[in-house]
Amino acid sequence: MTLLEELLGLVAEGGLHSYAELATHLSVTQPLLESMLEDLARLGYVERITGGCDSDCASCPIGGCSIAGQGSLWSLTAKGAIAGAEIVG
């Protein structure tokens, strides 16, 4: 399994993951993790959520979460959810 597939599988398991958590799990740096997420976005598996939490909390699929710090928020696309489910099994 490639690192991109492993990352997609982790995200597909659900919940909220921090960059630090994912980078540690994959044994990569946070800048490399960001690059991997951008690769998954180019392939259509994830998308960057824009607008920030202040305006999007009411419609957030996770609901009730707190996000601290700088960085990006990502979500699976429909294509990513299907591919991730196959990886997770």
Side-chain angles (χ1 to χ4, degrees):
M1 179 181 303
T2 69
L3 280 176
L4 285 178
E5 290 170 329
E6 190 172 350
L7 174 56
L8 186 59
L10 288 170
V11 176
E13 288 175 354
L16 183 63
H17 304 280
S18 70
Y19 274 38
E21 172 194 350
L22 292 172
T24 298
H25 184 87
L26 297 169
S27 299
V28 300
T29 64
Q30 289 187 31
L32 179 55
L33 176 67
E34 179 79 20
S35 178
M36 293 167 65
L37 287 165
E38 289 171 1
D39 287 343
L40 289 174
R42 276 191 292 281
L43 294 168
Y45 294 110
V46 298
E47 61 188 354
R48 188 183 305 262
I49 298 173
T50 59
C53 289
D54 291 340
S55 63
D56 292 333
C57 283
S59 62
C60 180
I62 298 168
C65 66
S66 296
I67 299 170
Q70 301 291 327
S72 298
L73 211 56
W74 298 86
S75 179
L76 287 174
T77 62
K79 177 181 176 180
I82 292 168
E86 291 176 8
I87 292 168
V88 174

